[in-house]
Amino acid sequence: MKKLIPVYVRVPLIFFAVFAAMEYFIDSGDRPAFLKFPMVSVFLFVFLFLLIAIEITLSAVDNITYHLLTEEQKAKLNEVNSISFKDTEWYKKLIKSVTKSEPIENEGLLLLDHDYDGIKELDNNLPPWWVYLFYAGIVFGVVYMVRYELLGADNQETELKKELAQAKIEVAEYMKTAPDMMDEKTVTLLTEPTDLAAGKEIFTTNCAACHRADAGGQIGPNLTDDNWILGGGIKNLFHTITNGGRDGKGMIAWKGTLKPKEMQKVASYILSLKGSNPKDPKAPDGEIWVDETASK
């Protein structure tokens, strides 16, 4: 039997529609659902197999039904199947309802008394779709004028400014709680033993070579006294660890090696060593730093 959509188009279309729907509705994070969940791949494989099996079955049924027809019925069916898509009755009715066109044999009734160098003009009706679109444009224009000109609703520029302002607020709120988005403005001092223990491990691995294991100072300065070259406190120390010390003679920047959360832990551990009085400490470097915020 004649099908409106060929099987080689119908099967892939149905399969990929189901595939897209599953990818859209199944929450699989940053990976495709059929890769993250093996059962999805199994379902898609079985579904494709069933689609092909159904098409084969329908084709066999159509073939058997055709051979059961009489010669007259076969001829009539072949005649129907030979009609092109544009020659079908429902297509002609659809085009006529959309365009309101007149048959070519009625041109004499539509002919106007105009003649431009042999070019004659017909008085055809405007297509309904064009008329409705024109009316819709008028309604849209009236609504637009009332909403934006008379009632003063936000235009595109105002909406953009509001969205950007809201986005800045949301980013600031996110950075307060996102460890990997932390900077010297949002960093806070950690006091939990587990955090300080993790900071000690990071310090021993990366910092002890220059500051000694007890932070008494060697190549780098003593980190247990009140003197700081680039300022003390969690914010200054986090900034120094992130961006490095003085140009040409300070320590390297650790932002490419350590994560913000790790730098927060090691900075907090270093500040916890204040007053620990290591053996044979290095002479003080820099100036005595006083936390003005704490004094207030």
Side-chain angles (χ1 to χ4, degrees):
M1 303 301 175
K2 185 176 181 180
K3 299 293 191 305
L4 186 61
I5 303 176
V7 62
Y8 56 82
V9 175
R10 186 168 59 250
V11 170
L13 189 64
I14 296 175
F15 175 77
F16 283 109
V18 174
F19 175 80
M22 296 190 71
E23 288 292 341
Y24 178 78
F25 288 106
I26 296 177
D27 185 9
S28 58
D30 57 347
R31 297 179 60 194
F34 76 96
L35 292 178
K36 188 172 183 178
F37 304 110
M39 286 304 298
V40 174
S41 300
V42 174
F43 171 81
L44 291 173
F45 176 78
V46 174
F47 180 72
L48 179 60
F49 176 80
L50 289 176
L51 274 181
I52 297 174
I54 291 172
E55 291 295 339
I56 294 174
T57 303
L58 291 177
S59 178
V61 171
D62 288 343
N63 189 36
I64 294 173
T65 304
Y66 179 79
H67 284 85
L68 293 177
L69 298 176
T70 63
E71 293 300 325
E72 183 180 353
Q73 291 172 328
K74 289 180 180 179
K76 188 174 182 179
L77 179 62
N78 292 333
E79 182 181 355
V80 173
N81 290 338
S82 64
I83 298 176
S84 65
F85 175 72
K86 292 184 178 181
D87 292 331
T88 57
E89 287 298 324
W90 72 269
Y91 179 80
K92 291 180 179 179
K93 291 180 179 179
L94 175 64
I95 295 299
K96 184 173 179 60
S97 64
V98 172
T99 62
K100 290 283 186 181
S101 59
E102 290 288 340
I104 192 170
E105 55 267 17
N106 295 341
E107 280 191 356
L109 302 175
L110 303 174
L111 192 62
L112 296 176
D113 190 19
H114 297 162
D115 193 334
Y116 302 97
D117 294 333
I119 301 174
K120 298 181 179 180
E121 182 179 358
L122 298 179
D123 187 18
N124 280 312
N125 293 324
L126 290 171
W129 65 266
W130 191 96
V131 176
Y132 297 148
L133 187 62
F134 176 72
Y135 291 151
I138 294 175
V139 173
F140 176 82
V142 172
V143 173
Y144 186 93
M145 184 184 68
V146 172
R147 176 176 172 80
Y148 292 100
E149 299 299 330
L150 300 181
L151 300 180
D154 293 341
N155 56 25
Q156 292 180 336
E157 184 178 359
T158 305
E159 288 179 354
L160 176 61
K161 290 180 179 179
K162 288 185 176 181
E163 290 177 0
L164 290 175
Q166 181 63 30
K168 288 181 180 179
I169 295 174
E170 293 176 357
V171 169
E173 290 296 324
Y174 175 76
M175 290 183 65
K176 290 179 181 178
T177 57
D180 290 337
M181 296 293 292
M182 188 186 309
D183 59 15
E184 62 267 20
K185 296 180 180 179
T186 59
V187 66
T188 56
L189 181 67
L190 301 176
T191 57
E192 291 294 328
T194 53
D195 293 326
L196 297 179
K200 180 179 180 180
E201 183 177 352
I202 298 171
F203 181 88
T204 302
T205 303
N206 300 283
C207 312
C210 294
H211 296 281
R212 282 184 10 194
D214 57 7
Q218 189 166 309
I219 300 174
N222 179 7
L223 301 177
T224 65
D225 55 24
D226 294 325
N227 293 66
W228 294 90
I229 299 173
L230 299 174
I234 186 64
K235 296 184 183 298
N236 289 324
L237 189 52
F238 184 91
H239 176 81
T240 303
I241 296 173
T242 302
N243 300 293
R246 294 165 295 177
D247 293 337
K249 54 181 178 180
M251 72 173 183
I252 63 170
W254 289 92
K255 59 185 176 183
T257 306
L258 300 176
K259 296 180 179 179
K261 191 66 178 176
E262 293 174 326
M263 290 188 285
Q264 181 191 26
K265 290 179 180 179
V266 70
S268 298
Y269 169 72
I270 291 171
L271 294 175
S272 71
L273 297 177
K274 180 181 177 180
S276 58
N277 297 321
K279 183 179 180 181
D280 299 327
K282 187 177 181 181
D285 287 321
E287 300 178 353
I288 296 177
W289 184 82
V290 178
D291 189 353
E292 297 179 357
T293 304
S295 63
K296 291 180 182 179

